[in-house]
Amino acid sequence: EFVNGRAEPWLTIVGLCAIMDPPRPECVQAIAEAHGAGVRVAMITGDHKDTALAIGNQLGLVDEKYNEAITGPELDALSDAEMRLAVQKYNIFARSSPENKIQIVKALQSEGEVCSMTGDGVNDAPALKAADMGVAMGKEGTDVAREASEMILADDNFATIVTAVREGRVVWDNLRKVLLINTPINNA
């Protein structure tokens, strides 16, 4: 009655404010490097589907192959077989619950993928634990997330993960070289 009972307008829009938190430039570069190294990067977020797609586009996660997003409620309606197909079809998972995060990780693993999960909150802890490599944020992350993960990022920067992958591949390559050289020599 208070609003509908007035004949004259009683509210006036004075202004509108929008806030944007753009991705870090080094994160965009790191994702491009990850793609070049054959590492698939996907985003699981609680954001709205359109917001997630816009951020994913800025990050380079949206392309010809992965041009759509799927929401948590849509994931909830899928069977296990459909879930395994969905994790291969989508790179952007919006409006995701903690249960959806675990479902995504397990579906990727059931497809033979090595799955890493990053997170910073209590709601991320179960998926961090379920992933092959849980990565928690060291500065802004919760104690629960840090305890559930295998690796903690001291600088909360995704680019550090790409650097770690690069260094790990160098170590693996060097180890293979040593084994390929030393094994025949030791057998002789």
Side-chain angles (χ1 to χ4, degrees), residues 79-88 102-115 130 132:
S79 68
D80 288 343
E82 291 170 326
M83 175 67 83
R84 288 194 304 275
L85 292 174
V87 296
Q88 297 299 330
I102 296 171
Q103 291 170 336
I104 293 165
V105 166
K106 292 191 179 205
L108 285 166
Q109 290 170 331
S110 71
E111 288 296 303
E113 303 280 343
V114 175
C115 181
D132 296 306

Side-chain angles (χ1 to χ4, degrees), residues 127-141:
L128 287 169
K129 196 71 169 169
D132 296 306
M133 177 63 135
V135 181
M137 302 299 145
K139 285 183 181 177
E140 300 294 325

